[in-house]
Amino acid sequence: MKLFHYAAPQYFYPLAGRLWPWLALLATGLALAGLWVGFMVAPSDAQQGQAYRIIYIHVPVSWMAMVIYLAMAFWSVLGLVFHTRLSGLMTRALAPTGALLAFLSLWTGALWGKPMWGTYWVWDARLTSMLILLFLYLGYIALTSAIEDPRRSDRAGALVAVVGAVNVPIIYFSVKWWNTLHQGASVSLTQSPSMASIMLTGMLLMSLAVWLYAAAIALWRVRSLILERDSHAAWVQQLPEVLVHRAHRDWRGAA
Amino acid sequence: MLGLLRRDLRLALRRKAEWMGAVFFFVLVAALFPLAIGPEPATLRLIGPGVLWVAALLASMLSLGRLFDADHQDGSLEQLALSVAPLPWLVSAKLLAHWLISGLPLVLLSPLLGLQFGLGSEALGMLALTLLIGTPVLSLLGAIGAALTLGVRGGGVLQSLLLLPLYVPVLVFGTGAVDAQMRGLGAEAHVSILLALLLASAALSPWACAAALRLALE
């Protein structure tokens, strides 16, 4: 099996380096297409007028904010079970993006809420649970950055990620469990979509773009984390980019 | 295990100021709300259950900092980790002692405070029942946070940041039960979920705590 081969940072670093530019490129292309469909092609909504168009941002980032937490929990379980060094780094690389997307979800939701509901914020179940998800991300980031020892930091973070993952289903089902202001899901796997197919296309394009963006930025970030963690390892010293950097520094020192 | 339970209880009884602190905090926070919001009986009855639950939650979090701290500093935590008895069981004993000295008094006091907020007898009973089920969950979840932040600088703030998201379901269903009872809707569903939270956290938290403690001791 080739998978565990890449669990070593040494081999994952070049793989991530090859992957992320392509993912970023694809994400940009899909985002442009999604925005074009969403803002130019799709008609305005019968009830919500033009303001509904924020779903092309709001829904994809909200989905991804939840998915990233589950991905962090997945990596954490792998790390706790198999003691793979990469897992902690991947979890750490995903967290800032998750926090950013949760924040964007709250922000775009507030901007949508003002024209639709007449208020930026209500203590509705889904809004509140999204806020809590943001706090979970911030808690993870704060804990892992407060612990100096990398091994302890990774494993403590993994515990938080796994325990906190219990909250994600609560957020997801909150719309069903509490009948408050937030509307129910418009897209589901079991029923035919309740929205026009052109709107759905735009939203799915944007969702795919956010997925790829998150993957690209996480891989990009994990490369920096690997370099930082393994900075004394021989293989890092042999990397062309490190050699170039060192030569540059020496040259400046000489001049 | 029993020995550890007895030791923790005896230590706590000798340092009365520590556990009395959490109880006084609970009473004081509850007393501050009528001062801040105004003594309107209808308003107080409305906010009473929520205020008491939040006060209990904060009091529980306040006392958690000391759960492992003293043992960590004098080295007895390492001795516990090295002992033949499995660490999750020892953690459970410590947690039971912690709840008996800091959680149970809150449960016993809550009807009295609820009375001051003008709650009816049924609501008072439900409040005490939900706190009886809920405060052990707070201790169990809180212990994970306390173990994770053991010996970390700025641990107190970090602990609250980690714990508040986890405490939210307990708070929602605890206050929801009292609210449903006051509206005459029946609180069985809420109480069942609280019990489920208690069972799940009692089954999982000691293991998570033990893992976190071993990390802190390395």
Side-chain angles (χ1 to χ4, degrees):
Chain A
M1 190 70 178
K2 203 99 193 288
L3 269 180
F4 278 94
H5 172 71
Y6 287 115
Q10 185 177 353
Y11 300 113
F12 192 73
Y13 179 84
L15 176 72
R18 278 200 303 279
L19 281 177
W20 81 261
W22 292 107
L23 293 173
L25 202 66
L26 262 171
T28 316
L30 283 168
L32 287 176
L35 287 176
W36 186 70
V37 170
F39 287 105
M40 301 296 171
V41 181
S44 66
D45 188 75
Q47 283 170 19
Q48 306 192 356
Q50 299 294 342
Y52 93 95
R53 290 186 198 273
I54 205 155
I55 59 161
Y56 297 113
I57 315 268
H58 176 70
V59 176
V61 297
S62 311
W63 277 348
M64 204 56 206
M66 289 187 269
V67 170
I68 288 182
Y69 202 89
L70 292 182
M72 282 170 62
F74 165 78
W75 283 108
S76 301
V77 170
L78 276 189
L80 289 173
V81 174
F82 295 112
H83 294 265
T84 40
R85 286 182 58 220
L86 187 64
S87 313
L89 294 170
M90 273 311 279
T91 321
R92 204 180 282 240
L94 282 166
T97 309
L100 175 70
L101 293 182
F103 174 73
L104 282 179
S105 163
L106 288 168
W107 191 12
T108 54
L111 290 181
W112 192 8
K114 188 65 183 170
M116 292 306 124
W117 301 339
T119 172
Y120 287 112
W121 181 263
V122 279
W123 289 97
D124 149 273
R126 181 155 266 188
L127 273 65
T128 312
S129 50
M130 204 49 166
L131 186 66
I132 289 161
L133 185 67
L134 177 63
F135 286 147
L136 281 173
Y137 279 121
L138 296 181
Y140 172 87
I141 295 170
L143 181 72
T144 46
S145 47
I147 302 177
E148 299 279 344
D149 173 43
R151 216 185 81 85
R152 186 185 168 196
S153 170
D154 277 356
R155 295 181 72 76
L159 277 172
V160 172
V162 172
V163 175
V166 179
N167 251 25
V168 175
I170 296 184
I171 300 170
Y172 188 76
F173 291 112
S174 61
V175 187
K176 275 187 191 157
W177 289 349
W178 289 279
N179 254 323
T180 42
L181 206 48
H182 201 285
Q183 65 206 66
S186 338
V187 183
S188 104
L189 288 176
T190 49
Q191 290 159 13
S192 60
S194 58
M195 59 200 298
S197 63
I198 186 74
M199 296 183 186
L200 189 67
T201 312
M203 214 164 83
L204 291 181
L205 280 174
M206 285 304 288
S207 302
L208 214 56
V210 176
W211 267 88
L212 293 173
Y213 157 77
I217 202 84
L219 288 177
W220 178 75
R221 200 176 283 125
V222 85
R223 273 165 63 87
S224 312
L225 289 170
I226 290 174
L227 281 187
E228 199 183 339
R229 185 75 58 91
D230 277 8
S231 56
H232 301 293
W235 72 269
V236 172
Q237 303 293 327
Q238 301 301 321
L239 282 173
E241 53 264 43
V242 176
L243 289 175
V244 166
H245 174 74
R246 193 182 304 141
H248 185 68
R249 197 186 52 201
D250 291 349
W251 176 79
R252 280 218 306 213
Chain B
M1 249 192 93
L2 273 178
L4 185 64
L5 179 64
R6 218 174 293 134
R7 163 185 171 272
D8 269 23
L9 286 177
R10 196 175 299 140
L11 276 177
L13 288 179
R14 288 202 187 133
R15 277 177 287 180
K16 285 198 185 59
E18 282 192 5
W19 62 270
M20 291 296 281
V23 177
F24 275 126
F25 182 82
F26 178 60
V27 177
L28 281 175
V29 170
L32 281 179
F33 273 85
L35 288 176
I37 289 170
E40 196 69 42
T43 317
L44 287 185
R45 197 172 306 127
L46 200 66
I47 62 165
V51 166
L52 291 178
W53 252 99
V54 171
L57 190 149
L58 294 176
S60 155
M61 202 142 60
L62 189 71
S63 60
L64 275 169
R66 292 187 303 268
L67 184 56
F68 300 115
D69 218 28
D71 285 351
H72 182 50
Q73 274 171 10
D74 68 13
S76 44
L77 198 61
E78 284 181 13
Q79 299 302 317
L80 287 182
L82 291 173
S83 84
V84 282
L87 190 55
W89 286 101
L90 296 175
V91 171
S92 311
K94 279 192 77 65
L95 274 172
L96 183 60
H98 174 258
W99 180 74
L100 284 175
I101 48 187
S102 69
L104 194 58
L106 305 188
V107 178
L108 298 176
L109 263 174
S110 65
L112 189 65
L113 291 172
L115 207 59
Q116 293 180 317
F117 280 84
L119 300 184
S121 60
E122 277 193 349
L124 287 180
M126 188 47 72
L127 179 68
L129 178 69
T130 52
L131 281 174
L132 184 66
I133 307 171
T135 45
V137 186
L138 297 181
S139 296
L140 283 161
L141 292 176
I144 306 179
L148 280 172
T149 55
L150 194 58
V152 175
R153 77 194 126 73
V157 183
L158 203 54
Q159 187 183 310
S160 7
L161 188 57
L162 288 175
L163 284 182
L164 284 176
L166 300 179
Y167 276 177
V168 166
V170 189
L171 186 71
V172 166
F173 292 111
T175 49
V178 186
D179 196 47
Q181 182 79 10
M182 279 162 75
R183 287 161 199 267
L185 294 172
E188 278 143 43
H190 289 95
V191 174
S192 309
I193 294 181
L194 268 185
L195 276 172
L197 288 174
L198 174 60
L199 290 178
S201 53
L204 299 174
S205 153
W207 272 264
C209 270
L213 284 179
R214 284 195 200 283
L215 278 176
L217 290 175
E218 266 172 16

